Amino acid sequence: MVKNIPFNVATTSANYNNNLLRLKKNNHFSSNGQFTKKCEQWLKNNIKCKEALLVHSCTAALEMCALLLNIKAGDEIIMPSYTFVSTANAFVLRGGVPIFVDIETETLNIDPNKIEKAITKKTKAIIAVHYAGVSCDMDPILKIAKRYKLYVIEDAAQAILSSYKGRPLGSIGDLGTLSFHESKNIHCGEGGALLINNNKLIKKAKIIRDKGTNREAFNNNFVKKYTWVSIGSSYGLSEINAAFLYAQLSKAKSIIEKRIEIWNNYHLLFYELENEKKLARPNIPIYAKNNAHIYYLVLRKNIRDKLIKYLKSKKIITLFHYIPLHTSPFFKKHYKKNNILNNTDGISKKIIRLPIYPGLSKKKILRIRNLILNFLK
Ligand SMILES: *Cc1c(COP(=O)(O)O)cnc(C)c1O
């Protein structure tokens, strides 16, 4: 009997048991303990960002970005429509207005050539979402941001240990955000990090994470009693999650190597179908180093939903995303129409994401390819 092939199997290969036992000895379970510090140090060492703050989700990190940049009602933030809802929602919570720019068909990342036209006097920031863990073309984005004095935020939720021209993603913009949700390469159930490269934002970020208090200064004996100094919220990650996460981070490179092997297998096997113009494979530009978060295909015709159904009947779970944010009920109700986003509209209807997780065998990958080949005939 053929076995189910799920879309994702969250990694649990790292040895987190010892870390969890350690928690009891440390007698510290809330945020900001030893494991939080260890994870933050790991992130600083490996991503080369100036500061890394562990938080409870990438969504929380994005909300902190909006608070840090003092986003006010009517402020505009440029981003792709082809992204997860939190990229926009975090700013909308502060009254910000998402301004959507179309994506490139090669990477499904924001098209730098279309950003400048979207800038107005109200624009505050550009968000570069590194889709599938493949870098946006950052140099032109940074150039535009500098010219118009805009902040750059990297939504690197999917992009841990990927890089752009040798620079780790999350270390390039003023701010970067990571996700450790179970669906991501490295996870702790729910978790995230805010990466900070702009020195002016570090102190304020720590206060915002700590409910708007100067608790950090208190912990370091800089003040006698901590108190309310700013707006903020409770964004920290519990030590229970951080202990689990630290075990994963310690194995991050080997986890990602395994994913890259699978990614490369798919890529080779789908070469012919791309050559016959039956579909398009993902494209990794020379400036980008990939972390194999997603393997996707873009079909030529609107047969994606049928293919997902067909594969499901063969016990293989494949997914698609995103419903572009400019076509969502919430956006249509609250905002005026967005510019036309042809690539976003087209690709969101034709993309299919294939199973990818360490442990997915070559044999299964071949079976998936053969079934797709069969379907397209
Ligand atoms: C997963 C994801 C998020 C949200 O991450 P959480 O940790 O679940 O909040 C945000 N942006 C992108 C691009 C993502 O893929």
Side-chain angles (χ1 to χ4, degrees):
M1 209 183 84
V2 281
K3 281 214 185 111
N4 283 338
I5 304 181
F7 178 74
N8 180 39
V9 178
T11 23
T12 49
S13 56
N15 182 9
Y16 49 87
N17 290 336
N18 288 341
N19 289 4
L20 294 177
L21 289 173
R22 179 90 218 163
L23 284 173
K24 205 169 161 184
K25 281 201 198 117
N26 290 354
N27 192 29
H28 184 139
F29 297 89
S30 59
S31 66
N32 247 324
Q34 220 182 73
F35 283 110
T36 297
K37 297 273 186 289
K38 280 177 192 276
C39 290
E40 291 177 346
Q41 194 56 51
W42 188 97
L43 293 170
K44 277 194 272 188
N45 292 347
N46 287 277
I47 299 187
K48 318 272 182 241
C49 48
K50 292 203 177 123
E51 187 58 89
L53 302 183
L54 230 52
V55 294
H56 63 68
S57 61
C58 181
T59 302
L62 287 161
E63 286 180 20
M64 286 179 71
C65 291
L67 289 166
L68 274 167
L69 303 190
N70 209 11
I71 297 300
K72 294 269 184 297
D75 287 349
E76 295 178 356
I77 302 93
I78 290 174
M79 65 183 78
S81 169
Y82 191 70
T83 182
F84 189 65
V85 61
S86 296
T87 317
N89 229 351
F91 295 85
V92 167
L93 272 170
R94 315 305 311 158
V97 179
I99 302 293
F100 299 126
V101 166
D102 209 1
I103 51 173
E104 306 174 317
T105 52
E106 292 79 15
T107 56
L108 317 196
N109 282 330
I110 194 164
D111 186 342
N113 294 317
K114 293 178 181 164
I115 290 176
E116 206 160 355
K117 258 204 311 219
I119 294 174
T120 72
K121 279 191 185 126
K122 292 179 182 167
T123 309
K124 285 281 162 4
I126 302 169
I127 309 185
V129 180
H130 302 301
Y131 179 71
V134 177
S135 181
C136 296
D137 192 1
M138 293 306 291
D139 281 343
I141 295 174
L142 294 172
K143 212 163 151 187
I144 295 166
K146 197 169 173 195
R147 189 175 321 137
Y148 292 91
K149 295 191 167 64
L150 305 175
Y151 288 102
V152 173
I153 301 164
E154 298 177 72
D155 182 340
Q158 307 175 3
I160 190 165
L161 295 183
S162 291
S163 61
Y164 175 73
K165 298 186 180 174
R167 298 172 72 185
L169 300 187
S171 73
I172 301 168
D174 295 279
L175 295 161
T177 64
L178 294 177
S179 173
F180 301 119
H181 183 267
E182 86 166 41
S183 58
K184 303 301 200 292
N185 287 15
I186 304 301
H187 80 101
C188 61
E190 300 267 1
L194 176 66
L195 311 175
I196 311 169
N197 305 302
N198 180 333
N199 284 326
K200 287 183 198 142
L201 300 173
I202 293 175
K203 197 172 152 201
K204 193 173 165 191
K206 289 178 177 170
I207 290 169
I208 288 171
R209 178 176 63 167
D210 249 344
K211 297 101 176 163
T213 70
N214 57 351
R215 192 173 191 150
E216 165 98 6
F218 168 73
N219 288 343
N220 293 325
N221 295 320
F222 294 148
V223 291
K224 274 203 215 91
K225 185 77 197 113
Y226 72 86
T227 181
W228 187 10
V229 294
S230 149
I231 59 166
S233 192
S234 182
Y235 288 123
L237 184 73
S238 130
E239 275 287 287
I240 302 170
N241 293 64
F244 187 99
L245 179 62
Y246 188 62
Q248 291 243 333
L249 287 175
S250 309
K251 288 271 162 69
K253 282 166 198 166
S254 75
I255 291 170
I256 288 171
E257 265 168 33
K258 282 181 196 142
R259 297 183 74 101
I260 287 176
E261 217 179 289
I262 292 161
W263 198 101
N264 287 340
N265 275 332
Y266 272 133
H267 211 54
L268 209 64
L269 286 171
F270 282 109
Y271 169 80
E272 242 173 74
L273 280 170
E274 184 175 62
N275 219 19
E276 291 165 8
K277 309 234 177 307
K278 296 245 171 68
L279 48 78
R281 299 179 303 165
N283 178 56
I284 312 292
I286 41 168
Y287 54 69
K289 191 174 136 262
N290 177 22
N291 71 352
H293 177 57
I294 294 176
Y295 195 85
Y296 66 82
L297 299 169
V298 179
L299 304 172
R300 292 289 170 202
K301 291 181 263 162
N302 284 344
I303 47 172
R304 189 263 319 277
D305 294 348
K306 272 191 195 143
L307 176 56
I308 289 179
K309 247 194 192 157
Y310 170 73
L311 291 170
K312 198 171 171 209
S313 77
K314 305 289 181 191
K315 299 188 167 187
I316 295 163
I317 305 305
T318 55
L319 299 177
F320 77 91
H321 69 182
Y322 301 99
I323 309 270
L325 297 179
H326 73 284
T327 67
S328 67
F330 182 86
F331 186 82
K332 286 204 269 194
K333 185 168 168 201
H334 293 280
Y335 299 96
K336 63 181 196 312
K337 265 180 81 169
N338 204 75
N339 298 329
I340 292 162
L341 306 172
N342 282 330
N343 294 343
T344 303
D345 289 332
I347 281 170
S348 63
K349 290 189 186 97
K350 296 189 184 104
I351 190 170
I352 179 167
R353 297 158 62 205
L354 306 184
I356 185 164
Y357 50 85
L360 182 65
S361 67
K362 252 187 174 159
K363 210 171 121 193
K364 284 179 177 162
I365 295 169
L366 190 63
R367 192 168 127 232
I368 294 166
R369 196 282 308 259
N370 288 344
L371 285 167
I372 292 175
L373 190 81
N374 189 41
F375 175 87
L376 291 176
K377 263 185 195 151

